[in-house]
Coordinates of all heavy atoms in Angstrom, one line a residue:
V349 N -175.8 -0.7 -88.5 CA -175.2 0.3 -87.5 C -176.2 1.3 -87.2 O -176.8 1.9 -88.1 CB -173.9 0.9 -88.2 CG1 -173.3 1.9 -87.2 CG2 -172.9 -0.1 -88.7
A350 N -176.4 1.6 -85.9 CA -177.4 2.6 -85.5 C -176.8 4.0 -85.7 O -177.4 4.9 -86.2 CB -177.8 2.4 -84.1
L351 N -175.6 4.2 -85.2 CA -174.9 5.5 -85.3 C -173.5 5.3 -86.0 O -172.6 4.9 -85.4 CB -174.7 6.1 -83.9 CG -175.7 7.0 -83.4 CD1 -175.2 7.7 -82.1 CD2 -176.3 8.1 -84.3
P352 N -173.4 5.6 -87.3 CA -172.2 5.5 -88.0 C -171.0 6.3 -87.4 O -171.3 7.4 -86.8 CB -172.5 5.9 -89.4 CG -173.8 6.4 -89.4 CD -174.5 6.2 -88.1
D353 N -169.8 5.8 -87.6 CA -168.7 6.6 -87.0 C -168.7 8.0 -87.5 O -168.3 8.9 -86.8 CB -167.3 5.9 -87.5 CG -167.1 4.6 -86.8 OD1 -167.8 4.4 -85.8 OD2 -166.3 3.8 -87.2
A354 N -169.0 8.2 -88.8 CA -169.0 9.6 -89.4 C -170.0 10.5 -88.6 O -169.6 11.7 -88.3 CB -169.4 9.6 -90.8
T355 N -171.1 10.0 -88.1 CA -172.0 10.8 -87.3 C -171.5 11.1 -86.0 O -171.6 12.2 -85.4 CB -173.4 10.1 -87.2 OG1 -174.0 9.9 -88.5 CG2 -174.4 10.8 -86.3
M356 N -170.8 10.1 -85.4 CA -170.2 10.3 -84.1 C -169.1 11.4 -84.2 O -169.0 12.3 -83.3 CB -169.5 9.0 -83.6 CG -170.5 8.0 -83.1 SD -171.5 8.6 -81.7 CE -170.4 8.5 -80.3
R357 N -168.3 11.4 -85.3 CA -167.3 12.4 -85.5 C -167.9 13.8 -85.7 O -167.5 14.8 -85.1 CB -166.4 12.1 -86.6 CG -165.2 11.2 -86.3 CD -164.1 11.2 -87.4 NE -164.7 10.8 -88.7 CZ -164.9 9.6 -89.1 NH1 -164.6 8.6 -88.3 NH2 -165.4 9.4 -90.3
T358 N -169.0 13.8 -86.4 CA -169.7 15.1 -86.6 C -170.1 15.6 -85.3 O -170.0 16.8 -85.0 CB -171.0 14.9 -87.5 OG1 -170.5 14.4 -88.8 CG2 -171.7 16.2 -87.8
C359 N -170.7 14.8 -84.4 CA -171.2 15.2 -83.1 C -170.0 15.7 -82.3 O -170.1 16.8 -81.6 CB -171.8 14.1 -82.3 SG -173.4 13.6 -83.1
E360 N -168.9 15.0 -82.3 CA -167.6 15.4 -81.6 C -167.1 16.8 -82.0 O -166.7 17.6 -81.1 CB -166.6 14.4 -81.9 CG -166.2 13.5 -80.8 CD -165.2 12.4 -81.3 OE1 -164.1 12.7 -81.7 OE2 -165.7 11.3 -81.3
E361 N -167.2 17.0 -83.3 CA -166.6 18.3 -83.8 C -167.6 19.5 -83.7 O -167.1 20.6 -83.8 CB -166.2 18.1 -85.2 CG -164.9 17.2 -85.3 CD -164.7 16.6 -86.7 OE1 -165.3 17.1 -87.7 OE2 -163.9 15.7 -86.8
A362 N -168.9 19.2 -83.5 CA -169.8 20.2 -83.5 C -169.8 21.0 -82.2 O -169.3 20.5 -81.1 CB -171.2 19.6 -83.7
D363 N -170.4 22.2 -82.2 CA -170.5 23.0 -80.9 C -171.7 22.5 -80.1 O -171.7 22.7 -78.9 CB -170.7 24.5 -81.3 CG -169.5 25.1 -82.0 OD1 -168.4 25.0 -81.3 OD2 -169.5 25.5 -83.1
A364 N -172.7 21.9 -80.8 CA -173.9 21.4 -80.1 C -174.5 20.4 -81.0 O -174.3 20.4 -82.2 CB -174.8 22.5 -79.7
I365 N -175.3 19.5 -80.4 CA -176.0 18.4 -81.1 C -177.5 18.7 -81.0 O -178.1 18.8 -79.9 CB -175.7 17.0 -80.5 CG1 -174.2 16.8 -80.5 CG2 -176.4 15.9 -81.3 CD1 -173.7 15.7 -79.6
L366 N -178.2 18.7 -82.2 CA -179.7 18.9 -82.2 C -180.2 17.5 -82.6 O -179.8 17.0 -83.7 CB -180.0 20.0 -83.2 CG -181.3 20.7 -83.0 CD1 -181.6 21.2 -81.6 CD2 -181.4 21.9 -84.0
F367 N -181.1 17.0 -81.8 CA -181.4 15.6 -82.0 C -183.0 15.5 -82.0 O -183.6 16.0 -81.2 CB -180.9 14.9 -80.7 CG -180.9 13.4 -80.7 CD1 -179.7 12.6 -81.1 CD2 -182.0 12.7 -80.4 CE1 -179.7 11.3 -81.1 CE2 -182.0 11.3 -80.4 CZ -180.9 10.6 -80.8
G368 N -183.5 14.7 -83.0 CA -184.9 14.5 -83.1 C -185.3 13.4 -82.1 O -185.5 13.6 -80.9
S369 N -185.4 12.2 -82.6 CA -185.7 11.1 -81.7 C -185.3 9.8 -82.5 O -185.5 9.8 -83.7 CB -187.2 11.1 -81.3 OG -187.4 10.1 -80.4
M370 N -184.9 8.8 -81.7 CA -184.5 7.5 -82.4 C -185.1 6.3 -81.7 O -185.3 6.3 -80.5 CB -182.9 7.4 -82.5 CG -182.3 8.4 -83.3 SD -180.5 8.1 -83.5 CE -180.0 9.6 -84.5
G371 N -185.4 5.3 -82.5 CA -185.9 4.1 -82.0 C -187.3 3.8 -82.6 O -188.1 4.7 -82.9
L372 N -187.5 2.5 -83.0 CA -188.8 2.1 -83.5 C -189.1 0.7 -82.9 O -188.2 -0.1 -82.8 CB -188.7 1.9 -85.1 CG -188.5 3.3 -85.9 CD1 -188.2 3.0 -87.3 CD2 -189.8 4.1 -85.8
P373 N -190.4 0.6 -82.5 CA -190.7 -0.6 -81.7 C -190.4 -1.9 -82.4 O -190.0 -2.9 -81.8 CB -192.2 -0.5 -81.4 CG -192.6 0.8 -81.9 CD -191.5 1.5 -82.6
H374 N -190.5 -1.9 -83.7 CA -190.4 -3.2 -84.5 C -188.9 -3.5 -84.9 O -188.6 -4.6 -85.4 CB -191.3 -3.2 -85.7 CG -191.0 -2.1 -86.7 ND1 -191.3 -0.8 -86.5 CD2 -190.3 -2.2 -87.9 CE1 -190.9 -0.1 -87.5 NE2 -190.3 -0.9 -88.3
I375 N -188.1 -2.5 -84.6 CA -186.6 -2.8 -85.0 C -185.8 -3.0 -83.6 O -185.8 -2.0 -82.8 CB -186.0 -1.6 -85.8 CG1 -186.9 -1.5 -87.1 CG2 -184.6 -1.9 -86.1 CD1 -186.5 -0.4 -88.0
R376 N -185.3 -4.1 -83.4 CA -184.7 -4.5 -82.2 C -183.3 -5.1 -82.4 O -183.0 -5.7 -83.4 CB -185.6 -5.4 -81.4 CG -186.9 -4.8 -81.1 CD -187.6 -5.4 -80.0 NE -188.8 -4.5 -79.7 CZ -189.2 -4.1 -78.5 NH1 -188.5 -4.4 -77.5 NH2 -190.2 -3.4 -78.4
Y377 N -182.5 -5.0 -81.3 CA -181.2 -5.7 -81.3 C -181.5 -7.2 -81.1 O -182.6 -7.6 -80.7 CB -180.3 -5.2 -80.2 CG -179.8 -3.8 -80.4 CD1 -180.0 -2.8 -79.4 CD2 -179.0 -3.5 -81.5 CE1 -179.5 -1.6 -79.6 CE2 -178.5 -2.2 -81.7 CZ -178.8 -1.2 -80.7 OH -178.3 0.0 -80.9
P378 N -180.5 -8.1 -81.4 CA -180.8 -9.5 -81.3 C -181.3 -9.9 -79.9 O -182.0 -10.9 -79.8 CB -179.5 -10.2 -81.7 CG -178.7 -9.1 -82.5 CD -179.2 -7.8 -82.1
D379 N -180.9 -9.2 -78.9 CA -181.3 -9.6 -77.5 C -182.7 -9.1 -77.2 O -183.2 -9.2 -76.1 CB -180.3 -9.1 -76.4 CG -180.3 -7.6 -76.3 OD1 -181.0 -6.9 -77.1 OD2 -179.6 -7.1 -75.4
G380 N -183.4 -8.4 -78.2 CA -184.8 -8.0 -77.9 C -184.9 -6.6 -77.5 O -186.0 -6.1 -77.4
T381 N -183.8 -5.9 -77.1 CA -184.0 -4.5 -76.6 C -184.1 -3.6 -77.8 O -183.6 -3.9 -78.9 CB -182.7 -4.1 -75.7 OG1 -181.5 -4.3 -76.5 CG2 -182.7 -4.9 -74.5
E382 N -184.7 -2.4 -77.5 CA -184.9 -1.4 -78.6 C -183.6 -0.7 -79.0 O -182.7 -0.6 -78.1 CB -185.9 -0.4 -78.2 CG -187.3 -0.9 -78.4 CD -188.4 0.2 -78.2 OE1 -188.0 1.4 -78.4 OE2 -189.4 -0.1 -77.7
V383 N -183.5 -0.3 -80.2 CA -182.3 0.5 -80.7 C -182.5 1.9 -80.2 O -183.3 2.7 -80.7 CB -182.3 0.4 -82.2 CG1 -181.0 1.2 -82.7 CG2 -182.2 -1.0 -82.7
N384 N -181.7 2.3 -79.2 CA -181.8 3.6 -78.5 C -180.5 4.3 -78.6 O -179.8 4.4 -77.5 CB -182.2 3.5 -77.1 CG -183.7 3.4 -76.9 OD1 -184.5 4.0 -77.7 ND2 -184.2 2.7 -75.9
P385 N -180.0 4.8 -79.7 CA -178.6 5.3 -79.8 C -178.4 6.5 -78.8 O -177.3 6.8 -78.5 CB -178.5 5.8 -81.2 CG -179.5 5.1 -82.0 CD -180.6 4.8 -81.0
Q386 N -179.5 7.2 -78.4 CA -179.3 8.3 -77.5 C -178.7 7.9 -76.2 O -178.0 8.7 -75.6 CB -180.6 9.1 -77.3 CG -181.8 8.4 -76.8 CD -182.7 8.0 -78.0 OE1 -182.2 7.4 -79.0 NE2 -184.0 8.3 -78.0
L387 N -179.0 6.7 -75.7 CA -178.4 6.2 -74.5 C -176.8 6.1 -74.7 O -176.1 6.5 -73.8 CB -178.9 4.8 -74.1 CG -180.4 4.7 -73.7 CD1 -180.7 3.3 -73.3 CD2 -180.6 5.7 -72.6
G388 N -176.4 5.6 -75.9 CA -174.9 5.5 -76.2 C -174.3 6.9 -76.3 O -173.2 7.2 -75.8
L389 N -175.1 7.9 -76.8 CA -174.5 9.3 -77.0 C -174.4 9.9 -75.6 O -173.4 10.5 -75.3 CB -175.5 10.1 -77.8 CG -175.4 9.9 -79.3 CD1 -176.5 10.6 -80.0 CD2 -174.0 10.5 -79.9
R390 N -175.3 9.6 -74.7 CA -175.2 10.2 -73.3 C -174.0 9.6 -72.6 O -173.3 10.4 -71.9 CB -176.5 9.8 -72.5 CG -177.7 10.6 -72.9 CD -178.9 10.1 -72.2 NE -180.1 10.7 -72.8 CZ -181.3 10.2 -72.6 NH1 -181.6 9.2 -71.9 NH2 -182.3 10.8 -73.2
K391 N -173.7 8.3 -72.9 CA -172.6 7.7 -72.3 C -171.3 8.3 -72.9 O -170.4 8.7 -72.2 CB -172.7 6.2 -72.5 CG -171.5 5.4 -71.9 CD -171.7 4.0 -72.2 CE -170.4 3.2 -72.0 NZ -170.5 1.8 -72.5
D392 N -171.2 8.2 -74.3 CA -169.9 8.6 -74.9 C -169.6 10.0 -74.7 O -168.4 10.4 -74.6 CB -170.1 8.3 -76.4 CG -170.1 6.8 -76.7 OD1 -169.8 6.0 -75.8 OD2 -170.6 6.4 -77.8
F393 N -170.6 10.9 -74.6 CA -170.3 12.3 -74.4 C -170.4 12.8 -73.0 O -170.4 14.0 -72.7 CB -171.1 13.2 -75.4 CG -170.8 13.0 -76.8 CD1 -171.6 12.3 -77.7 CD2 -169.6 13.5 -77.3 CE1 -171.3 12.1 -79.0 CE2 -169.2 13.3 -78.7 CZ -170.1 12.6 -79.5
D394 N -170.7 11.8 -72.1 CA -170.8 12.1 -70.7 C -171.8 13.2 -70.4 O -171.6 14.2 -69.7 CB -169.5 12.4 -70.1 CG -169.5 12.2 -68.5 OD1 -170.4 11.5 -68.0 OD2 -168.6 12.7 -67.8
L395 N -173.0 13.0 -71.0 CA -174.1 14.0 -70.8 C -174.9 13.6 -69.6 O -175.9 13.0 -69.6 CB -175.0 14.0 -72.1 CG -174.2 14.1 -73.4 CD1 -175.2 13.9 -74.6 CD2 -173.6 15.5 -73.5
Y396 N -174.4 14.0 -68.4 CA -174.9 13.4 -67.2 C -176.2 14.1 -66.7 O -176.9 13.5 -65.9 CB -173.8 13.4 -66.1 CG -173.3 14.8 -65.7 CD1 -173.9 15.6 -64.8 CD2 -172.1 15.3 -66.3 CE1 -173.4 16.9 -64.5 CE2 -171.6 16.6 -66.0 CZ -172.3 17.4 -65.1 OH -171.8 18.6 -64.8
A397 N -176.4 15.3 -67.1 CA -177.6 16.0 -66.6 C -178.7 16.1 -67.7 O -178.5 16.8 -68.7 CB -177.2 17.4 -66.1
G398 N -179.8 15.4 -67.5 CA -180.9 15.5 -68.4 C -181.9 16.6 -67.9 O -182.6 16.4 -67.0
V399 N -181.7 17.8 -68.5 CA -182.5 19.0 -68.1 C -183.8 19.1 -68.8 O -183.9 19.2 -70.0 CB -181.7 20.3 -68.4 CG1 -182.4 21.5 -67.9 CG2 -180.3 20.2 -67.7
R400 N -184.9 19.0 -68.0 CA -186.3 18.9 -68.6 C -187.2 20.0 -68.0 O -187.8 19.8 -67.0 CB -186.9 17.5 -68.4 CG -186.2 16.5 -69.3 CD -186.1 15.2 -68.8 NE -185.3 14.4 -69.7 CZ -185.6 13.2 -70.2 NH1 -186.7 12.6 -69.7 NH2 -184.8 12.5 -71.0
P401 N -187.2 21.2 -68.6 CA -188.0 22.3 -68.1 C -189.5 21.9 -68.3 O -189.9 21.5 -69.4 CB -187.6 23.5 -69.0 CG -186.4 23.1 -69.7 CD -186.4 21.6 -69.8
I402 N -190.3 22.2 -67.3 CA -191.7 22.0 -67.4 C -192.4 23.3 -67.1 O -192.4 23.7 -65.9 CB -192.1 20.9 -66.3 CG1 -191.4 19.5 -66.6 CG2 -193.7 20.7 -66.3 CD1 -191.8 18.8 -67.9
R403 N -192.8 24.0 -68.1 CA -193.3 25.3 -67.9 C -194.6 25.4 -68.7 O -194.7 25.0 -69.9 CB -192.3 26.3 -68.5 CG -192.6 27.8 -68.2 CD -191.5 28.6 -68.7 NE -191.2 28.6 -70.1 CZ -191.9 29.4 -71.0 NH1 -192.9 30.2 -70.6 NH2 -191.7 29.3 -72.3
A404 N -195.7 26.0 -68.1 CA -197.0 26.1 -68.7 C -196.9 27.2 -69.8 O -196.3 28.3 -69.5 CB -198.0 26.5 -67.7
I405 N -197.3 26.9 -71.0 CA -197.3 27.9 -72.1 C -198.7 28.5 -72.1 O -199.8 27.8 -72.1 CB -197.1 27.2 -73.4 CG1 -195.8 26.4 -73.4 CG2 -197.1 28.2 -74.6 CD1 -194.5 27.2 -73.5
P406 N -198.8 29.9 -72.1 CA -200.1 30.5 -72.1 C -201.0 30.0 -73.2 O -200.5 29.9 -74.3 CB -199.8 32.0 -72.3 CG -198.4 32.2 -71.9 CD -197.7 30.8 -72.1
G407 N -202.2 29.7 -72.9 CA -203.2 29.3 -73.9 C -203.2 27.8 -74.1 O -204.1 27.3 -74.9
V408 N -202.3 27.0 -73.6 CA -202.3 25.6 -73.7 C -203.1 25.0 -72.5 O -202.7 25.2 -71.4 CB -200.9 25.0 -73.8 CG1 -200.9 23.5 -73.9 CG2 -200.1 25.6 -75.0
P409 N -204.2 24.3 -72.8 CA -205.0 23.8 -71.7 C -204.2 22.8 -70.8 O -203.5 22.0 -71.4 CB -206.2 23.2 -72.3 CG -206.1 23.3 -73.8 CD -204.8 24.0 -74.1
S410 N -204.5 22.8 -69.5 CA -203.8 21.9 -68.6 C -204.8 20.8 -68.2 O -206.0 21.1 -68.2 CB -203.3 22.6 -67.4 OG -202.9 21.6 -66.4
V411 N -204.4 19.6 -67.9 CA -205.3 18.6 -67.4 C -205.7 18.9 -66.0 O -206.7 18.4 -65.5 CB -204.6 17.2 -67.3 CG1 -204.5 16.6 -68.7 CG2 -203.2 17.2 -66.6
L412 N -205.0 19.9 -65.3 CA -205.4 20.3 -64.0 C -206.4 21.5 -64.1 O -206.1 22.4 -64.8 CB -204.2 20.7 -63.2 CG -203.1 19.7 -63.1 CD1 -201.9 20.2 -62.3 CD2 -203.6 18.4 -62.4
S413 N -207.5 21.4 -63.3 CA -208.4 22.5 -63.4 C -208.1 23.7 -62.4 O -208.5 24.8 -62.6 CB -209.8 22.0 -62.9 OG -209.7 21.3 -61.7
D414 N -207.1 23.5 -61.5 CA -206.7 24.5 -60.6 C -206.0 25.7 -61.4 O -205.2 25.4 -62.2 CB -205.7 24.0 -59.6 CG -205.4 24.9 -58.5 OD1 -205.1 26.1 -58.7 OD2 -205.5 24.5 -57.3
P415 N -206.5 26.9 -61.2 CA -205.9 28.0 -62.0 C -204.4 28.2 -61.8 O -203.7 28.7 -62.7 CB -206.6 29.3 -61.5 CG -207.5 28.9 -60.4 CD -207.6 27.4 -60.3
R416 N -203.9 27.7 -60.7 CA -202.5 27.8 -60.4 C -201.6 26.9 -61.4 O -200.4 27.1 -61.6 CB -202.1 27.4 -59.0 CG -202.5 28.4 -58.0 CD -202.3 27.9 -56.6 NE -203.2 26.8 -56.2 CZ -203.3 26.2 -55.1 NH1 -202.4 26.5 -54.1 NH2 -204.2 25.2 -54.9
A417 N -202.3 26.1 -62.2 CA -201.6 25.3 -63.3 C -200.9 26.2 -64.3 O -199.9 25.8 -64.9 CB -202.6 24.4 -64.0
A418 N -201.4 27.4 -64.4 CA -200.8 28.4 -65.3 C -199.5 28.9 -64.8 O -198.7 29.5 -65.6 CB -201.7 29.6 -65.5
Q419 N -199.2 28.6 -63.5 CA -197.9 29.0 -63.0 C -196.9 27.9 -62.9 O -195.8 28.1 -62.4 CB -198.1 29.5 -61.5 CG -199.0 30.7 -61.3 CD -199.5 30.8 -59.9 OE1 -199.0 30.2 -59.0 NE2 -200.7 31.5 -59.8
I420 N -197.2 26.8 -63.5 CA -196.2 25.6 -63.4 C -194.9 26.1 -64.1 O -194.9 26.5 -65.3 CB -196.8 24.4 -64.1 CG1 -198.0 23.8 -63.3 CG2 -195.7 23.3 -64.2 CD1 -198.7 22.7 -64.0
D421 N -193.8 26.0 -63.4 CA -192.5 26.3 -64.0 C -191.4 25.7 -63.1 O -191.0 26.3 -62.1 CB -192.4 27.9 -64.0 CG -191.0 28.3 -64.5 OD1 -190.3 27.5 -65.1 OD2 -190.7 29.5 -64.3
F422 N -191.1 24.5 -63.4 CA -190.0 23.8 -62.7 C -189.1 23.1 -63.7 O -189.4 23.0 -64.9 CB -190.5 23.0 -61.6 CG -191.3 21.7 -62.0 CD1 -190.7 20.5 -62.2 CD2 -192.7 21.8 -62.3 CE1 -191.5 19.4 -62.6 CE2 -193.5 20.7 -62.7 CZ -192.8 19.5 -62.9

Side-chain angles (χ1 to χ4, degrees):
V349 181
L351 269 189
D353 288 345
T355 297
M356 287 300 283
R357 272 198 305 279
T358 300
C359 292
E360 249 171 64
E361 286 161 14
D363 294 298
I365 305 165
L366 202 51
F367 192 99
S369 188
M370 293 187 183
L372 291 169
H374 61 284
I375 300 177
R376 300 201 172 228
Y377 290 124
D379 68 359
T381 57
E382 276 187 35
V383 180
N384 276 329
Q386 53 267 49
L387 292 182
L389 282 167
R390 285 177 194 159
K391 176 181 165 189
D392 293 340
F393 292 108
D394 201 16
L395 306 171
Y396 61 87
V399 178
R400 289 150 184 225
I402 301 294
R403 189 173 64 83
I405 305 282
V408 176
S410 173
V411 286
L412 304 179
S413 53
D414 192 308
R416 285 173 293 179
Q419 296 159 24
I420 295 174
D421 178 12
F422 65 94

